[in-house]
């Protein structure tokens, strides 16, 4: 439920102009308000909370202090509950008690064939598979303390992988800047699908792979989206139209596909008709590239080169977080991934965790409620009356945005 604050009275001592806005329109801002029973803790109303949005708290990640290269590219929780973090300069492993670093500088134990990790997955037999940019596909030994290349020798076009995706059974999907690759077993060479599927012969942009409900794989490139059936490799077109930029992120949700582009456009596409149901440019005043997209805590989270936008399902911007107004260490978001009900946010300068917040912050910045709270009371109409050093404010319980 959303509410607004209305100023009722004023203390005789007025603050300076730069302490409190006197604009009527500013005082009519809308915001959310949640209660746990009828009990509200006073310090959550103060301006010194570390909450960066109305419903989510950001936390510094202790893992970042143990990662030498801060540019995080990928993450995986394996079936044992252990965490694998890929970066541009190596691979990190955490099991709660110890950590391991895999690098090209290590020969034998803790060695990997290439340092630039672009994807991590767990194979059907429990071994860890890596997509590397330089040595192609790599897989761990049974002890998971060494990785060796299983890339196709003599085929440089399969050495520079950009994305990795588990298929059914023993299948593996991978992409390069211009190729869509598939192998139904690690022991065989990659099949270059543009040689067998005419529809995807000449992609006009980077490949994006996404699981679709029903077992098919969503394959995107440029401004086109296809559904690909893995067993038969049959493909059917879902969407083909002009977009503002090339597709850079895709999220499958029920009857719709959410698409982000490298020019900051967010589009909702109806799966059945292939028509655009809604569209939004995140910021027409700044060059914005969408790098990641997922649903978390009831919002659409969109990672960009400028920070994180959270949107409602009808594409209304709920919040924007950057290094200037939150604890994000860098504006360029490289990864959004839910792990153990927490959102893991990767940037060029390390990791941040996000968790849903039980409480929400109201302060002078986001609601015009003056920061020096003296007392508060909830009436029988669910309105919250807040007494401050600058007067009385009312948060209306029956107002909606």
């Amino acid at each position: 439920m959303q509410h607004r604050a209305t100023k009722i009275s004023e203390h005789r001592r007025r603050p300076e102009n730069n302490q409190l806005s006197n604009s009527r329109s500013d005082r009519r801002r809308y915001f959310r308000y949640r209660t746990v029973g009828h009990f509200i803790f006073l310090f959550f109303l103060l301006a010194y909370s570390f909450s960066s949005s109305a419903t989510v708290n950001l936390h510094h990640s202790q893992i970042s202090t143990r990662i030498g290269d801060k540019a995080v590219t990928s993450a995986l929780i394996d079936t044992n509950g252990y965490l694998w973090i890929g970066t541009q300069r190596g691979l990190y492993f955490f099991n709660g008690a110890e950590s391991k670093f895999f690098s090209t500088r290590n020969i034998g134990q803790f060695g990997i064939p290439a340092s630039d990790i672009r994807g991590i997955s767990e194979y059907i037999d429990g071994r860890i598979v890596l997509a590397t940019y330089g040595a192609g596909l790599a897989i761990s030994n049974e002890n998971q303390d060494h990785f060796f290349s299983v890339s196709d020798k003599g085929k440089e076009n399969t050495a520079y992988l950009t994305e990795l995706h588990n298929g059914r059974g023993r299948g593996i999907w991978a992409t390069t800047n211009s190729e869509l690759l598939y192998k139904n077993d690690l022991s065989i060479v990659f099949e270059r699908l543009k040689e067998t599927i005419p529809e995807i012969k000449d992609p006009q942009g980077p490949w994006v792979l996404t699981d679709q409900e029903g077992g098919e794989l969503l394959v995107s490139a440029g401004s086109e989206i296809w559904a690909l059936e893995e067993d038969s490799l049959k493909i059917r077109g879902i969407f083909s139209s002009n977009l503002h930029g090339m597709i850079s992120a895709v999220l499958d949700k029920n009857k719709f596909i959410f698409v982000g582009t490298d020019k900051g456009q967010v589009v909702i596409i109806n799966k059945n008709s292939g028509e655009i149901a809604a569209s939004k440019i995140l910021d027409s005043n700044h060059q914005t590239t969408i790098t990641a997209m997922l649903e978390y805590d009831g919002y659409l989270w969109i990672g960009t080169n400028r920070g994180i936008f959270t949107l409602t399902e009808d594409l209304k911007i709920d919040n924007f977080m950057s290094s200037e107004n939150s604890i994000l260490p860098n504006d360029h978001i490289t990864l959004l991934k839910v792990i153990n009900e927490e959102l893991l946010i990767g940037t060029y300068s390390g990791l941040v965790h996000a968790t849903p917040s039980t409480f929400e912050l109201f302060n002078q910045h986001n609601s015009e409620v003056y920061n020096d709270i003296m007392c508060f009371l909830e009436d029988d109409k669910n309105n919250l009356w807040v007494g401050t050093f600058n007067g009385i404010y009312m948060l209306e319980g029956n107002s909606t945005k």
Side-chain angles (χ1 to χ4, degrees):
M1 183 180 294
Q2 296 182 338
H3 308 255
R4 66 181 179 182
T6 302
K7 189 172 182 183
I8 305 301
S9 68
E10 190 174 86
H11 194 279
R12 284 181 296 178
R13 177 184 173 184
R14 293 183 56 83
E16 300 295 330
N17 288 337
N18 63 350
Q19 289 181 297
L20 182 64
S21 171
N22 289 319
S23 167
R24 270 188 181 174
S25 59
D26 285 346
R27 291 175 183 173
R28 292 177 170 233
R29 291 180 185 174
Y30 289 88
F31 49 87
R32 290 186 177 83
Y33 163 61
R34 292 181 183 174
T35 61
V36 179
H38 295 287
F39 201 59
I40 303 174
F41 288 104
L42 178 61
F43 61 85
F44 277 95
L45 294 171
L46 299 181
Y48 305 105
S49 169
F50 289 101
S51 174
S52 297
S53 70
T55 57
V56 173
N57 290 325
L58 298 185
H59 311 276
H60 291 291
S61 173
Q62 294 182 352
I63 295 175
S64 281
T65 63
R66 303 168 72 178
I67 295 178
D69 178 41
K70 303 299 184 182
V72 176
T73 59
S74 49
L76 170 74
I77 288 286
D78 63 24
T79 53
N80 294 317
Y82 301 150
L83 176 64
W84 300 80
I85 298 288
T87 73
Q88 291 183 342
R89 296 184 181 178
L91 177 71
Y92 294 82
F93 167 83
F94 302 91
N95 65 4
E98 61 178 349
S99 61
K100 300 175 184 177
F101 174 56
F102 295 80
S103 169
T104 54
R105 296 180 180 180
N106 299 327
I107 299 176
Q109 192 176 37
F110 308 136
I112 50 177
S115 295
D116 193 347
I117 311 299
R118 298 298 180 94
I120 311 174
S121 69
E122 186 172 7
Y123 199 50
I124 191 173
D125 60 6
R127 291 183 293 171
I128 304 301
V129 181
L130 307 177
T132 73
Y133 196 78
L137 207 63
I139 191 166
S140 69
N141 59 7
E142 291 184 357
N143 294 328
Q144 296 184 347
D145 60 4
H146 176 74
F147 286 82
F148 56 92
S149 176
V150 290
S151 187
D152 306 335
K153 295 181 178 180
K155 293 186 177 182
E156 291 188 0
N157 58 331
T158 65
Y160 295 91
L161 302 181
T162 56
E163 190 169 349
L164 180 66
H165 201 89
N166 274 345
R168 295 181 185 175
R170 306 184 72 85
I172 291 287
W173 296 88
T175 64
T176 69
N177 288 326
S178 60
E179 297 263 12
L180 176 61
L181 308 171
Y182 174 72
K183 58 170 65 184
N184 58 21
D185 193 281
L186 284 175
S187 62
I188 64 175
V189 299
F190 271 122
E191 183 176 355
R192 301 172 62 192
L193 295 185
K194 72 177 185 180
E195 296 178 350
T196 57
I197 304 177
E199 292 90 340
I200 60 174
K201 185 175 182 180
D202 298 309
Q204 300 301 311
W207 292 103
V208 179
L209 305 180
T210 310
D211 277 326
Q212 181 183 212
E213 297 174 358
E216 293 179 313
L217 185 70
L218 286 180
V219 179
S220 311
S223 59
E224 297 186 81
I225 303 175
W226 302 273
L228 184 59
E229 211 288 320
E230 183 172 336
D231 295 334
S232 64
L233 294 184
K234 290 182 178 179
I235 195 167
R236 59 183 176 87
I238 292 180
F239 176 80
S240 179
S241 182
N242 292 327
L243 296 173
H244 185 60
M246 295 184 293
I247 295 174
S248 55
V250 176
L251 172 67
D252 180 56
K253 180 173 172 55
N254 300 325
K255 299 180 180 179
F256 298 95
I257 301 172
F258 290 76
V259 171
T261 75
D262 61 358
K263 295 294 180 63
Q265 183 183 22
V266 183
V267 177
I268 302 178
I269 300 170
N270 187 301
K271 278 186 189 178
N272 296 327
S273 65
E275 297 179 350
I276 295 178
S279 175
K280 184 178 187 66
I281 301 295
L282 291 178
D283 190 344
S284 58
N285 297 320
H286 298 87
Q287 183 176 352
T288 304
T289 298
I290 295 176
T291 57
M293 180 184 298
L294 57 69
E295 183 185 14
Y296 181 71
D297 194 38
Y299 290 89
L300 180 64
W301 286 65
I302 299 178
T304 74
N305 62 325
R306 296 181 47 240
I308 296 175
F309 292 82
T310 57
L311 278 66
T312 59
E313 287 194 356
D314 55 356
L315 301 188
K316 292 181 180 178
I317 295 178
D318 173 75
N319 196 17
F320 172 68
M321 292 168 277
S322 69
S323 58
E324 294 183 356
N325 66 1
S326 74
I327 64 170
L328 285 176
N330 191 287
D331 288 340
H332 196 114
I333 307 302
T334 59
L335 174 72
L336 293 175
K337 190 178 183 69
V338 177
I339 293 180
N340 295 333
E341 298 184 356
E342 287 192 353
L343 177 60
L344 188 67
I345 303 171
T347 76
Y348 274 161
S349 301
L351 290 167
V352 171
H353 291 272
T355 56
S357 175
T358 304
F359 299 93
E360 298 182 14
L361 169 69
F362 300 103
N363 58 24
Q364 181 178 330
H365 174 72
N366 66 11
S367 68
E368 293 304 323
V369 173
Y370 196 60
N371 288 345
D372 290 340
I373 309 295
M374 310 299 290
C375 60
F376 51 91
L377 175 69
E378 185 179 18
D379 64 23
D380 56 3
K381 295 181 180 180
N382 294 326
N383 298 321
L384 182 65
W385 296 77
V386 182
T388 77
F389 193 75
N390 188 51
I392 300 174
Y393 294 80
M394 181 180 69
L395 311 184
E396 298 182 19
N398 57 354
S399 298
T400 57
K401 188 173 181 179

